Amino acid sequence: MTDVRTLVLAGLERHRAGDPADALALYARALEAAPADADALHLAGMALRALGRRDEALDHLARACAAAPGVAVFHANRAAALLDAGRPEDAREAAARATTLDPSHAPGWINLAAALAAARADDAAEAAYARALALAPADADARNNLGNLLQRRGRPAEALGHYEAAIAAAPGHVAAHSNYGTALYALFRTEHREDAIARARAWAAAHPGNATARHVAAALTGAAADPRAPDDYVRSAFDMFAPTFETTLAKLDYRAPQALDALLNRCLPLPAPLDAVLDAGCGTGLAAPMLRPRARRLDGVDLSPAMVERARARGLYDALRVGELTADLRAHPGAYALIVAADVLCYFGDLADAFAACAAALSPGGAFAFSLERLDDPRADETWRVRASGRYAHAARALPELLARSGFQTPEIVEESTRSESGVPVPGLLVFARKA
């Protein structure tokens, strides 16, 4: 048993040093000697979870709980792994077991709250977060997750307080910064607009190196903005909204995929499917039903892992990738006959790099179709502007020259709204262009 303990402790040291693979190898050696060792099973499960080996992690954690059923932390960590696997009811049972065994175990309450929130038991989830934060008031993840719950419940002012606490506890907390920006915009759209602007300015001043703070402050105050939205901001926002993304868009009268499909029917009638089509910024795959008949091979790429998981569930793509759009396009030179970007380039201000990357990924004569938000009152020297929503609007007059610089022919440009905000259609543009 001494050798087993030595291996487990050595594995834990490697684990804490940020090397779960080496840690797992040591835990595996311990389990060869003692297959039912609860600590080795538990820690191996945690290492497997860190490595993304979900099913193996769940197996090891279940075995740890069976070997030592009275240890609260085992059940709490199993609950977290069950949440990863999209099993909130099972996670709720495991987390409840942890809190029953040890009512002072904050992670148990945090995971119970997350499971309740995933099951839309919002009142109970809020109460569980309150219990967790009474035990661990500086837990940044719990603060951030409670903020998300309150934001979903239409209480942005309360959500902001928890995001601020999360950022104070962990200044580098990417999700808390991104979610804070989303909540500020929600507050901005209420009668508390000036409060939102003041908080945004203070946030940017307190975190001058944070691109999300800089972007949101520019959007809400009208200050000069960066040429594109920060990846962390976009990724975190869409990861958070993935579960409710499609129902939210339905309320906004979102129809970018349908509008682009109509544009393609006019500009690119097909006698037969194209060899390869890319859904650029595929989200949950709303454009896939329209693109699938056009493609022998349909690929999708998106910055948000949570969105890609939902797109994968549609079963309409031949390949799906998680990644930043321009880098992904450049990694596939000449691969596609058609690239479609529905409601994606509104997160880019300066479009030159995105257009060049699309041209690089298209085969000769390939087509590019995309939607934008329209900037109706551009100054003489202005081609784009960030809106309060954090999305960019573009001047239609600048597009032909920008596309030509990347090797596209004269585009077809249609003025058409593809979404609404507060019941008012947002001015939009649909664009079709061919690579020369």
Side-chain angles (χ1 to χ4, degrees):
M1 290 302 291
T2 302
D3 288 341
V4 170
R5 295 274 68 75
T6 300
L7 288 167
V8 169
L9 291 172
L12 183 58
E13 184 177 345
R14 296 305 309 145
H15 205 154
R16 287 172 172 164
D19 192 347
D22 275 4
L24 181 61
L26 290 162
Y27 299 146
R29 287 174 58 193
L31 289 169
E32 286 176 5
D37 186 273
D39 289 331
L41 285 166
H42 169 245
L43 292 170
M46 296 302 291
L48 287 161
R49 183 184 175 215
L51 293 167
R53 293 161 62 177
R54 182 180 297 168
D55 291 342
E56 294 171 87
L58 283 171
D59 173 69
H60 281 70
L61 290 167
R63 288 162 58 197
C65 290
V71 181
V73 67
F74 292 1
H75 295 278
N77 287 335
R78 180 168 175 260
L82 287 163
L83 284 168
D84 291 346
R87 294 167 55 184
E89 287 303 324
D90 292 336
R92 179 177 179 172
E93 181 180 341
R97 177 66 176 156
T99 59
T100 299
L101 286 167
D102 183 359
S104 67
H105 186 62
W109 287 107
I110 292 170
N111 290 331
L112 178 59
L116 290 164
R120 293 298 190 269
D122 288 350
D123 287 342
E126 194 171 334
Y129 276 126
R131 290 288 300 269
L133 289 169
L135 295 165
D139 190 293
D141 288 334
R143 291 283 184 184
N144 176 66
N145 293 342
L146 177 54
N148 292 346
L149 176 63
L150 294 170
Q151 193 173 171
R152 187 176 80 197
R153 304 192 83 180
R155 292 151 59 186
E158 293 175 72
L160 285 167
H162 289 288
Y163 294 139
E164 287 168 353
I167 291 167
H173 199 295
V174 171
H177 279 285
S178 177
N179 296 335
Y180 188 63
T182 303
L184 280 176
Y185 177 56
L187 189 69
F188 179 87
R189 295 175 64 188
T190 71
E191 67 273 18
H192 303 292
R193 174 173 176 159
E194 293 306 315
D195 182 27
I197 290 173
R199 286 184 187 229
R201 285 185 174 134
W203 177 32
H207 301 274
N210 187 284
T212 296
R214 188 167 61 246
H215 177 74
V216 174
L220 297 184
T221 66
D226 289 344
R228 59 179 285 182
D231 288 348
D232 286 342
Y233 164 73
V234 176
R235 182 189 301 108
S236 182
F238 281 97
D239 277 349
M240 185 181 81
F241 282 121
T244 59
F245 179 72
E246 295 185 20
T247 56
T248 300
L249 287 188
K251 295 174 185 176
L252 300 177
D253 192 29
Y254 174 75
R255 53 181 305 277
Q258 294 84 352
L260 287 171
D261 186 52
L263 181 67
L264 288 170
N265 286 337
R266 186 171 73 255
C267 297
L268 190 67
L270 296 178
L274 298 166
D275 284 342
V277 174
L278 177 66
D279 187 356
C282 61
T284 61
L286 288 174
M290 272 126 330
L291 296 178
R292 181 72 265 182
R294 298 179 179 277
R296 292 190 180 92
R297 176 185 176 88
L298 177 61
D299 293 352
V301 60
D302 199 275
L303 192 58
S304 163
M307 300 291 269
V308 168
E309 281 300 308
R310 290 179 178 269
R312 184 169 286 114
R314 291 182 182 273
L316 293 175
Y317 293 93
D318 295 292
L320 282 163
R321 303 185 291 269
V322 175
E324 190 278 318
L325 180 59
T326 57
D328 185 87
L329 289 166
R330 288 198 168 91
H332 296 84
Y336 297 103
L338 170 64
I339 296 173
V340 175
D343 204 43
V344 175
L345 297 181
C346 55
Y347 292 99
F348 292 73
D350 185 347
L351 294 170
D353 191 41
F355 285 173
C358 281
L362 284 170
S363 55
F368 179 29
F370 57 95
S371 65
L372 293 170
E373 294 189 6
R374 188 177 81 234
L375 181 59
D376 280 344
D377 58 343
R379 297 185 295 271
D381 61 344
E382 189 177 35
T383 60
W384 55 266
R385 185 188 308 160
V386 68
R387 300 176 64 239
S389 62
R391 296 155 64 92
Y392 294 83
H394 294 84
R397 60 170 165 71
L399 297 175
E401 181 181 350
L402 276 171
L403 287 162
R405 287 180 195 167
S406 293
F408 288 97
Q409 298 172 351
T410 302
E412 174 87 7
I413 301 176
V414 178
E415 294 187 357
E416 183 175 340
S417 175
T418 60
R419 65 191 291 271
S420 298
E421 285 184 9
S422 302
V424 179
V426 176
L429 298 168
L430 304 173
V431 185
F432 175 88
R434 277 193 180 276
K435 182 178 176 179

